[in-house]
Amino acid sequence: MDIQPFESTLQFVLENNNKAFRQMFRDQIKGNFLIEIKMQIIRRLGTDFMKCYDFQWNFQDILTGKNNPPEYDICRFIIGIHHAHSIFLAKDKIRENEKNTQYKEQLIHEIIEKIRLRQYGSFFFRKNPIFPGKSFLYYPVPYDIFVLCMRAHHIYSKADDNPTYLWLIFGIIHNGLAVLSLMEDNFLGNAYPLCRSIIEMYFKLLILKDVPNACNSYEDFKAFELEQSCCSRKYPPEFYNKFKNRTYQEDNNKINYLHFGWVDYIEGYHNYVKESPYSLKGIITFLKEQPCLEQHKKIDILELFYKSCHAYTHGSTQIAKYPELHYFEISIMLYYTIRDTFLLFCNDQNVDPTIDGIDLISILDKDFDELYQQYQKYSTENFEAEQNKTAQ
């Protein structure tokens, strides 16, 4: 019996795979375009293809289906990034891009960048979401942020120092991964309460990273919260003593003070905050009094989104009509919080923020600029047109 040469066998496998991928993704992307880009990516990666995708199978991988097959993963990158670039574009413009050499080169370059980071990214993704929908986690900004979170988690596991605000950093990163996991499975409305929590922790971090005395007090109040809410369900005697001597006597609400009493230990805080000091509103007021104007812009945007999360947090809204709106809003909230948190953490730990020589922050900033420009164009008409698009 003749044995086919390896090259012929490989060609046969690729051709059959290509037929299967055309059928699998026929409702999401043009088949010829998908296969052309996929084959170009495999060629461009060359020997790096074997480095980016682990082909050393073991019984655990076989039994659990641990790894995404490489070609399938690449197809999802192509669809996700191409869809991200195509938001609010007319179908004619999308077809024009699919024939445009410069656009295809740009797409191939971006996808290879993402693949080189997959040990922190798509390596951890599901093969299929729990609920069908857009693969938003393969869109550039959510993917970049997922990689940042996983890299931060890796750094955190080896952190030597343990300042109080490190727990806030861990909370932001931990919740960020939870949000992205919900986005992956198309539980988009459920991500908003976690985003709200991330914003609150981020605002606290902006203050506490520069105020050691408040950090110590924050630890005390965290212990009071644990005792009151989880253990004895009573306020500890030390809390009553602090509450009795609180700076702002007009607020008699113990719960407010339990959550935010540590602000009494921030020098000058009550000089700026004359109303509702024991609240996130008070913290935002204080932050806006600080001299960094660039920070003010972020705070204004995050404050607006924090308020908009209210309906999702309290259950009156779960699913918006347009999934792209969720994609925009969640991505913006995570970008402004996790990007800064990651850089702060790397600086604190004296760790290079690049990942394997790749400047992901610059890539994220570029990807975010496109996303934000799209977000500024949103309207009911544009969202309706987006929903009516088909792949063919």
Side-chain angles (χ1 to χ4, degrees):
M1 183 175 65
D2 292 335
I3 299 176
Q4 286 184 308
F6 174 77
E7 292 81 2
S8 299
T9 303
L10 179 61
Q11 185 64 30
F12 176 79
V13 171
L14 286 173
E15 288 177 1
N16 278 276
N17 285 355
N18 289 342
K19 289 178 183 178
F21 286 130
R22 286 174 190 271
Q23 179 66 18
M24 185 183 303
F25 298 115
R26 67 187 184 278
D27 296 328
Q28 300 179 48
I29 196 168
K30 284 281 189 181
N32 289 343
F33 178 73
L34 175 68
I35 300 308
E36 177 189 357
I37 300 299
K38 177 177 74 72
M39 296 307 294
Q40 284 285 348
I41 289 168
I42 292 173
R43 290 191 191 101
R44 302 280 181 90
L45 280 169
T47 56
D48 285 349
F49 182 70
M50 305 295 288
K51 298 176 184 177
C52 294
Y53 292 96
D54 184 5
F55 289 89
Q56 296 181 4
W57 289 87
N58 56 47
F59 282 114
Q60 181 177 339
D61 291 339
I62 294 170
L63 292 172
T64 63
K66 179 180 177 182
N67 292 326
N68 275 337
E71 288 185 274
Y72 177 71
D73 190 50
I74 291 170
C75 286
R76 295 186 74 190
F77 273 118
I78 296 167
I79 293 167
I81 296 176
H82 181 48
H83 281 188
H85 290 321
S86 302
I87 293 174
F88 297 152
L89 293 184
K91 286 188 285 186
D92 290 347
K93 178 60 179 174
I94 296 172
R95 299 296 169 252
E96 180 184 324
N97 282 341
E98 290 170 350
K99 298 174 184 177
N100 184 284
T101 301
Q102 185 177 351
Y103 176 80
K104 289 190 281 189
E105 284 294 319
Q106 173 197 340
L107 187 63
I108 291 166
H109 174 75
E110 287 184 65
I111 293 167
I112 290 176
E113 275 185 337
K114 308 300 186 205
I115 289 173
R116 292 190 191 282
L117 293 164
R118 73 176 300 274
Q119 76 271 24
Y120 295 109
S122 64
F123 174 83
F124 298 96
F125 293 179
R126 283 180 178 273
K127 292 186 181 68
N128 296 294
I130 292 177
F131 283 102
K134 301 287 181 72
S135 296
F136 286 125
L137 210 53
Y138 277 93
Y139 285 33
V141 171
Y143 188 85
D144 296 343
I145 293 172
F146 187 95
V147 171
L148 284 186
C149 287
M150 291 304 299
R151 176 59 179 153
H153 182 74
H154 179 75
I155 297 169
Y156 186 90
S157 67
K158 298 183 176 182
D160 294 326
D161 197 10
N162 189 23
T164 297
Y165 63 79
L166 194 62
W167 289 102
L168 283 171
I169 290 174
F170 177 78
I172 291 168
I173 298 302
H174 183 88
N175 279 12
L177 286 170
V179 167
L180 292 164
S181 296
L182 290 170
M183 178 182 273
E184 178 182 28
D185 285 322
N186 290 298
F187 292 107
L188 298 170
N190 300 84
Y192 282 80
L194 285 169
C195 287
R196 192 171 187 260
S197 177
I198 289 171
I199 293 171
E200 182 169 327
M201 286 188 284
Y202 175 70
F203 285 153
K204 291 177 180 178
L205 178 63
L206 290 179
I207 293 177
L208 290 173
K209 66 184 180 67
D210 294 322
V211 188
N213 288 340
C215 279
N216 295 333
S217 181
Y218 181 77
E219 284 286 349
D220 293 339
F221 278 85
K222 230 174 37 168
F224 297 156
E225 282 191 62
L226 184 65
E227 182 70 24
Q228 195 275 337
S229 60
C230 302
C231 298
S232 69
R233 299 193 180 276
K234 296 178 180 179
Y235 293 108
E238 300 92 329
F239 170 80
Y240 278 112
N241 184 54
K242 288 181 181 292
F243 181 71
K244 180 180 178 181
N245 295 289
R246 66 193 180 281
T247 302
Y248 189 75
Q249 290 289 319
E250 288 82 353
D251 189 343
N252 294 313
N253 190 308
K254 291 187 179 67
I255 292 295
N256 290 349
Y257 191 72
L258 181 67
H259 296 321
F260 295 98
W262 51 271
V263 300
D264 281 351
Y265 298 84
I266 300 173
E267 185 177 353
Y269 180 88
H270 290 281
N271 294 334
Y272 294 114
V273 185
K274 303 296 185 182
E275 186 178 330
S276 304
Y278 305 126
S279 68
L280 191 70
K281 178 183 176 182
I283 287 176
I284 293 172
T285 300
F286 178 75
L287 288 171
K288 286 182 178 180
E289 292 294 335
Q290 305 313 301
C292 181
L293 295 178
E294 180 60 29
Q295 198 70 274
H296 292 175
K297 177 185 175 184
K298 295 177 187 178
I299 292 169
D300 287 340
I301 292 171
L302 289 172
E303 181 182 16
L304 180 64
F305 277 114
Y306 181 84
K307 292 175 180 177
S308 72
C309 288
H310 181 85
Y312 296 94
T313 302
H314 295 284
S316 55
T317 303
Q318 278 302 309
I319 301 175
K321 185 177 181 181
Y322 310 114
E324 280 76 16
L325 178 59
H326 287 309
Y327 155 70
F328 285 140
E329 292 182 337
I330 293 169
S331 296
I332 292 168
M333 287 186 278
L334 294 184
Y335 172 79
Y336 280 121
T337 54
I338 288 176
R339 178 192 181 279
D340 282 7
T341 299
F342 177 78
L343 287 175
L344 170 67
F345 187 37
C346 287
N347 183 67
D348 179 83
Q349 296 295 311
N350 196 27
V351 172
D352 184 355
T354 63
I355 302 174
D356 294 337
I358 298 173
D359 186 357
L360 185 58
I361 294 297
S362 294
I363 294 171
L364 172 59
D365 289 344
K366 174 181 66 66
D367 291 337
F368 181 77
D369 285 343
E370 180 185 29
L371 179 148
Y372 202 76
Q373 288 173 22
Q374 292 171 329
Y375 174 68
Q376 291 176 313
K377 296 175 184 176
Y378 87 79
S379 66
T380 301
E381 292 76 20
N382 280 340
F383 280 133
E384 286 292 338
E386 191 66 27
Q387 284 202 328
N388 291 331
K389 286 179 185 176
T390 60
Q392 306 301 324

